[in-house]
Amino acid sequence: MIVLFHLHSTGRVTNSSLVHNSWMFVDFFFVLSGFVISCGYLERLRTGYSVGKFMLLRLGRVYPLHFAILALFLAMEIVGALVGTAGLSHRTPFSDPRTLGELAGSLALVQIFCGFPSIVWNGPSWSIAAEVWTYLLMAVLFRALPRWTAPMAAALAISAGLVLALAGPPAWDPATAYSFARCILGFSLGVLAWMLVARMRWPALGLLPATTLELIATAACIAMVAAGAVPVLAPLLFAATVILFAAEQGLISRLLKLRPFLLLGTLSYSIYMVHTLVVARSLDVLSLVGTSLHHPLIETRFNTGGTLKIVTFAPDLMVFVVLGVVVLVSAATYRWIEAPARDASRKWLSRKGPSSQAPIATDAAPVADRDPIAATVPA
């Protein structure tokens, strides 16, 4: 949905209210991230696991791909400065949103705190910056206040929610420090959701009632996003949905455990991080093809804010073709960048020796037998 959100076309799909407001699914990611990180690390951190090692593991998971995509963007800026853009863009290389200062902010994952006028370089990395600082905040609090995790998470969620509600629409601009509050809100609710799931025993609902509840939750999430109203409440619905699906008793849960969906889950971080780059280059290719065929496939609009490319040829079909290209490229970046870097960071930290009796948690750490899920870190 985030990929479709960043695609523009004259078709019905990208102009639907659901896609127009699908930026709200980033807040679903924040909730799911809090849930999963708590599954894998909450008890470890509360019983003495090193905050430093936890942060190194998280950085080993998210930073290498972030760095690689930034390097590709930098290479394209250099090429554009040296040989031009072949008419595909009227933006001057190394101008907003890709100045050298903005590059430094992105490399340090502090871009959301720098007051930049828009999201910079690889735009989606704003949420990764918010995640990393939320990781650190939560890890320190888990260690410092092990018996107060639930009240602390509730207080953070309420505080962040109030900040966002009082700020109004500007709070949902991802270029601002409010992004940190968005992440804290969703992540804290995810922590609370995990703590509830870890302690509850789901009754056997039966296939039909469980499926009905899953359909209702799914429809409610879709309706809330499509409406685009009161986004500060969306994480509450998302957290309730995560709790329900953790029971895995309905048909939709079974569907999501099929291999194609598990593959998309595995590739989700790569999909998220590479999609703006792949979408932009895919539309450039379509522009060049249209020019050679003397039949424009893309409408290009140049303005002071940059270059906007709109798919006009078979738009509803082409946006899914581009989406397929994004997934294929993501499979490659997962295979050659994301997974090797993650494994290398784990091995390096393992050689450093354990910081406590708790082993290093992996992204698929099993949970207690009574718990209904296993942790898999999302994008």
Side-chain angles (χ1 to χ4, degrees), residues 281-300:
R281 301 294 75 81
S282 297
L283 297 185
D284 286 345
V285 170
L286 289 176
S287 294
L288 295 173
V289 170
T291 300
S292 65
L293 295 175
H294 304 289
H295 183 80
L297 308 179
I298 300 291
E299 177 187 340
T300 304

Side-chain angles (χ1 to χ4, degrees), residues 210-248:
T211 301
T212 301
L213 289 174
E214 290 180 354
L215 287 170
I216 291 172
T218 302
C221 289
I222 291 173
M224 172 165 276
V225 172
V230 199
V232 72
L233 297 180
L236 288 169
L237 176 59
F238 295 155
T241 301
V242 169
I243 292 170
L244 173 64
F245 274 81
E248 297 187 329

Side-chain angles (χ1 to χ4, degrees), residues 99-185:
T99 67
L100 291 177
E102 291 164 342
L103 175 62
S106 293
L107 285 169
L109 289 173
V110 295
Q111 63 267 48
I112 59 175
F113 304 113
C114 293
F116 296 137
S118 64
I119 54 176
V120 297
W121 287 86
N122 186 23
S125 65
W126 71 266
S127 63
I128 307 307
E131 275 274 315
V132 165
W133 294 106
T134 301
Y135 290 155
L136 179 59
L137 172 65
M138 292 296 185
V140 170
L141 291 177
F142 290 163
R143 281 292 305 274
L145 303 168
R147 296 185 179 182
W148 294 86
T149 302
M152 173 269 296
L156 285 173
I158 292 170
S159 300
L162 287 173
V163 168
L164 294 169
L166 293 173
W172 306 98
D173 181 351
T176 68
Y178 287 116
S179 299
F180 189 34
R182 279 177 69 180
C183 189
I184 290 174
L185 170 59

